[in-house]
C-alpha cells in the first residue's frame, strides 16, 4: 500500500518525516488497515529495488502484532472500506474472468490483488489474463481515470437539464458527483488529474460556455505539479495527461477523415483510440520495452462494452453493502461486458511474440518512437496535399497564418473600430418611466411606420 510518514524512530531517536513510502505488509496486517488512519509499525525502511527514488517499508510477520492504531480513520472512510469489502465479497460469486476484471474496471484493483476471506483467484489464470491484456494494449482499461468521471458527470448534467435547473445548480450537482466518486475510489494520480480537471470545468458551467479540453488540461497539469512536484516524474500522471491531450488534439481531425470510409460510431471510436495511442506510446515504452501491434483492433473490440460495464460495476459497488443480491446481478452484467477483454487478450495478446514488437525502453527509444510518429504524420499531410493538388482543389495555407503579435494588433484595431462605430440605443419609455415626445426619433431607433390609406397617397411600410 501507499503511505505517508509522520515520524521515523531509529536507535531510540524520533525524527519528524513527511515522505511517501510503499509499504509491504503481511496479509493479517493488511486486513486491519483502513485508508485514512494513522498507524505505528516496526519494519525495515530502504530504497526499493526497482526504483532508487522510491522508499519501501517492509514489515515482517513477527512484527505484525506490534502494529498500533494511533488515530482511527474518519467515519466515512470506514463506511467506504466496508463498501469495498462487501463489493469484493459479492464479486467472489462470479467466474474467474469476472473476479479479475470487474474489480479492475470498477475500482482499478484487479481481483488477484484484492484481499478477501474467500477462496483466492486462480493465480495462473489471472497472470495469463493480465499479461495477455498488456500485450494486446488494453491494460489501461484496468486503471480508473477520466472515463468514470465523464460518465457520472454526464448523468448529473442530463438530470439537471431534464429538471431545468439553473447553471449554479448544475455546477453543484457535478461537483457533488465528482466528490462522491473520488471518495469511494482507490486513490491514484490519474484520478487526481480527472478530479482537478473536472473541478476547473465547473467554471465553464457557471459562465455558460463550452468547455475547452486543452486549456483545462494545461491548467490541471500546472496546478497539480505545483501542489506536488513529484507528479512531474510520475508515469501514471503523465500517461493520463498525454492520453487526454492526444484525444483533444487528434481525435477530431481523425474522426472527420475516417467518417468517409467507416460508420460514424466506429470512426469516432477508432479516432479516440488512435488519438490516445499517439501521445502515450512513447511513454509506454519507458514502462514496457515492446509495442503492442494489435492495440487498435483490440481497443475497437472492447470499446463498445466498456461504458455499460463500468456503469453496472459502479451500481454493484454502490448497492452491494445493503442489497447483495441486486449487487451480484449488476456485477454479473458487468462481467458480460468484461468478457470482451478476455477475448481480446486471447486473440490479440498471443504468447508467441507476434503480438508485440521489441523496442528500446530507454529515453532514446521513446524519442525514436516520437520521431517515427511525427514522420508518419508528415507523410500523411504530404499525401493529402498531393491529392488536393491532383484534384485541382485550392491548397490550404496551414502554415501561412500571421504571427501572434500581428494577430493581436489586427484584433485590437478591429475591436477599436467596432466600438467607435457602435451606436447606443436610448432607454425606452417603459425602462425610464418617462414618455418620449412625439416627432423626435432617437439615435439608433427606427422611424415610425405609416400605413397607407385606401385611395389616398401615403408612404409604404
Amino acid at each position: 500500500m501507499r503511505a505517508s510518514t509522520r515520524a521515523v524512530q531509529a536507535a531510540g531517536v524520533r525524527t519528524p518525516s513527511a515522505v511517501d513510502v510503499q509499504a509491504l505488509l503481511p496479509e493479517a496486517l493488511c486486513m486491519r488497515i483502513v485508508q485514512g488512519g494513522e498507524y505505528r509499525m516496526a519494519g525495515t525502511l530502504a530504497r526499493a529495488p526497482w526504483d532508487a527514488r522510491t522508499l519501501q517499508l517492509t514489515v515482517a510477520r513477527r512484527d505484525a502484532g506490534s502494529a498500533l492504531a494511533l488515530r482511527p480513520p474518519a467515519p466515512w472512510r470506514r463506511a467506504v472500506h466496508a463498501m469495498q469489502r462487501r463489493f469484493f465479497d459479492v464479486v467472489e460469486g462470479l467466474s474467474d474472468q469476472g473476479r479479475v476484471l470487474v474489480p479492475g474496471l470498477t475500482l482499478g484493483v484487479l481481483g488477484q490483488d484484492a484481499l478477501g476471506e474467500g477462496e483466492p483467484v486462480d493465480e495462473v489464470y489471472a497472470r495469463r489474463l493480465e499479461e495477455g491484456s498488456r500485450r494486446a494494449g488494453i491494460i489501461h482499461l484496468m486503471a480508473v481515470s477520466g472515463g468514470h468521471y465523464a460518465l457520472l458527470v454526464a448523468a448529473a448534467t442530463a438530470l439537471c437539464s431534464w429538471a431545468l435547473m439553473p447553471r449554479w445548480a448544475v455546477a453543484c450537482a457535478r461537483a457533488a458527483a465528482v466528490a462522491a466518486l473520488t471518495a469511494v475510489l482507490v486513490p491514484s494520480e490519474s484520478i487526481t488529474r480527472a478530479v482537478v480537471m473536472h473541478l476547473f470545468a465547473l467554471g465553464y458551467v457557471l459562465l455558460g460556455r463550452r468547455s475547452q479540453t486543452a486549456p483545462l488540461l494545461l491548467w490541471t497539469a500546472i496546478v497539480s505539479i505545483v501542489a506536488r512536484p513529484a507528479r512531474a516524474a510520475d508515469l501514471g500522471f503523465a500517461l493520463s495527461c498525454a492520453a487526454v491531450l492526444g484525444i483533444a488534439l487528434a481525435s477530431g481531425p481523425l474522426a472527420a477523415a475516417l467518417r468517409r470510409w467507416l460508420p460514424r460510431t466506429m470512426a469516432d471510436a477508432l479516432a479516440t483510440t488512435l488519438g490516445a495511442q499517439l501521445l502515450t506510446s512513447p511513454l509506454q515504452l519507458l514502462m514496457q520495452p515492446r509495442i503492442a501491434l494489435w492495440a487498435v483492433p483490440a481497443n475497437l473490440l472492447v470499446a463498445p462494452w466498456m461504458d455499460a460495464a463500468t456503469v453496472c460495476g459502479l451500481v454493484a459497488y454502490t448497492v452491494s453493502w445493503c442489497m447483495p443480491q441486486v449487487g451480484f446481478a449488476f456485477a454479473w452484467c458487468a462481467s458480460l461486458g468484461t468478457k470482451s477483454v478476455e477475448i481480446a487478450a486471447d486473440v490479440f495478446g498471443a504468447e508467441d511474440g507476434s503480438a508485440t514488437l521489441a523496442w528500446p525502453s530507454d529515453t532514446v527509444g521513446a524519442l525514436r518512437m516520437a520521431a517515427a510518429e511525427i514522420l508518419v504524420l508528415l507523410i500523411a499531410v504530404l499525401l493529402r496535399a498531393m491529392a488536393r493538388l491532383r484534384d485541382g482543389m485550392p491548397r490550404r495555407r496551414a502554415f501561412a497564418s500571421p504571427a501572434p503579435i500581428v494577430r493581436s494588433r489586427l484584433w485590437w484595431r478591429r475591436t477599436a473600430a467596432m466600438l467607435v462605430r457602435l451606436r447606443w440605443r436610448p432607454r425606452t419609455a417603459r425602462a425610464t418611466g418617462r414618455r418620449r415626445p412625439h416627432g423626435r426619433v432617437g439615435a439608433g431607433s427606427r422611424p415610425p411606420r405609416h400605413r397607407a390609406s385606401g385611395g389616398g397617397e401615403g408612404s409604404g411600410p
Side-chain angles (χ1 to χ4, degrees):
M1 68 178 185
R2 295 168 54 186
S4 179
T5 60
R6 295 291 181 87
V8 177
Q9 182 174 346
V13 179
R14 179 184 175 91
T15 305
S17 174
V19 296
D20 295 334
V21 297
Q22 297 284 342
L24 300 180
L25 311 179
E27 182 176 357
L29 182 57
C30 282
M31 298 294 291
R32 294 163 46 191
I33 298 297
V34 179
Q35 183 181 351
E38 186 174 344
Y39 302 89
R40 184 176 64 188
M41 55 189 66
T44 303
L45 186 63
R47 297 190 180 276
W50 66 85
D51 187 5
R53 296 172 300 179
T54 303
L55 293 178
Q56 177 177 308
L57 175 64
T58 305
V59 179
R61 293 183 181 274
R62 61 178 182 274
D63 297 327
S66 61
L68 179 64
L70 300 180
R71 182 176 59 85
W76 68 272
R77 290 280 192 185
R78 294 196 294 267
V80 170
H81 182 75
M83 290 176 60
Q84 293 177 353
R85 296 260 48 92
R86 292 298 298 164
F87 175 70
F88 285 117
D89 293 341
V90 167
V91 170
E92 287 183 357
L94 301 175
S95 61
D96 287 342
Q97 174 269 132
R99 295 181 62 185
V100 173
L101 297 179
V102 171
L105 183 65
T106 306
L107 301 178
V109 179
L110 295 177
Q112 68 270 19
D113 298 329
L115 293 176
E117 300 177 355
E119 184 179 356
V121 182
D122 186 359
E123 190 70 20
V124 177
Y125 170 80
R127 295 303 175 189
R128 181 176 63 85
L129 180 59
E130 184 178 359
E131 291 299 326
S133 300
R134 182 174 288 106
R135 288 191 296 267
I138 55 177
I139 192 62
H140 64 276
L141 298 174
M142 300 300 106
V144 178
S145 59
H148 292 63
Y149 289 90
L151 290 174
L152 195 59
V153 166
T157 305
L159 181 61
C160 293
S161 300
W162 175 77
L164 300 179
M165 293 184 178
R167 289 198 296 263
W168 65 267
V170 177
C172 292
R174 294 178 61 165
V178 171
L181 186 59
T182 306
V184 301
L185 292 179
V186 179
S188 66
E189 295 299 339
S190 60
I191 290 180
T192 301
R193 193 274 313 162
V195 171
V196 177
M197 192 168 178
H198 279 283
L199 292 179
F200 273 125
L202 297 180
Y204 288 94
V205 177
L206 293 174
L207 296 176
R209 300 183 59 183
R210 179 186 298 179
S211 61
Q212 300 177 7
T213 305
L216 279 176
L217 180 62
L218 295 178
W219 278 109
T220 298
I222 292 172
V223 173
S224 301
I225 293 176
V226 169
R228 187 172 179 268
R231 292 193 179 98
D234 190 278
L235 284 178
F237 185 79
L239 284 172
S240 181
C241 293
V244 175
L245 184 61
I247 294 173
L249 297 180
S251 62
L254 287 174
L258 293 173
R259 286 171 188 169
R260 302 177 181 177
W261 298 280
L262 298 175
R264 184 183 182 89
T265 304
M266 185 177 296
D268 293 344
L270 182 58
T272 302
T273 302
L274 291 175
Q277 292 285 339
L278 186 65
L279 296 185
T280 57
S281 296
L283 296 176
Q284 289 176 351
L285 291 175
L286 299 177
M287 303 173 60
Q288 182 182 5
R290 290 187 175 275
I291 301 175
L293 299 178
W294 304 102
V296 174
N299 281 274
L300 286 179
L301 177 61
V302 302
W305 319 103
M306 288 299 98
D307 289 347
T310 301
V311 172
C312 291
L314 291 175
V315 173
Y317 179 34
T318 305
V319 304
S320 293
W321 67 277
C322 59
M323 294 181 289
Q325 293 80 7
V326 178
F328 177 79
F330 279 100
W332 182 80
C333 293
S335 67
L336 295 181
T338 56
K339 183 67 176 179
S340 60
V341 177
E342 182 186 29
I343 296 175
D346 293 337
V347 174
F348 300 106
E351 300 180 3
D352 54 1
S354 60
T356 58
L357 176 66
W359 197 276
S361 61
D362 54 358
T363 306
V364 177
L367 294 177
R368 289 177 181 176
M369 172 57 66
E373 291 180 347
I374 294 174
L375 180 62
V376 172
L377 181 61
L378 292 177
I379 292 175
V381 172
L382 180 61
L383 292 177
R384 179 174 175 82
M386 293 174 62
R388 294 177 66 88
L389 290 176
R390 181 190 60 190
D391 297 338
M393 300 177 64
R395 181 170 58 90
R396 291 185 177 181
R397 302 178 63 184
F399 301 98
S401 60
I405 298 178
V406 178
R407 291 200 301 267
S408 301
R409 189 182 298 116
L410 292 175
W411 175 85
W412 170 247
R413 289 178 180 176
R414 294 173 182 174
T415 303
M418 180 190 68
L419 293 175
V420 170
R421 293 193 302 266
L422 188 63
R423 294 186 177 182
W424 301 96
R425 179 178 299 176
R427 296 182 181 181
T428 61
R430 180 180 301 178
T432 58
R434 299 190 302 268
R435 297 185 60 183
R436 191 168 51 197
H438 295 285
R440 298 180 60 185
V441 180
S445 61
R446 295 183 180 179
R449 295 184 178 183
H450 301 279
R451 181 173 301 176
S453 59
E457 183 178 353
S459 59

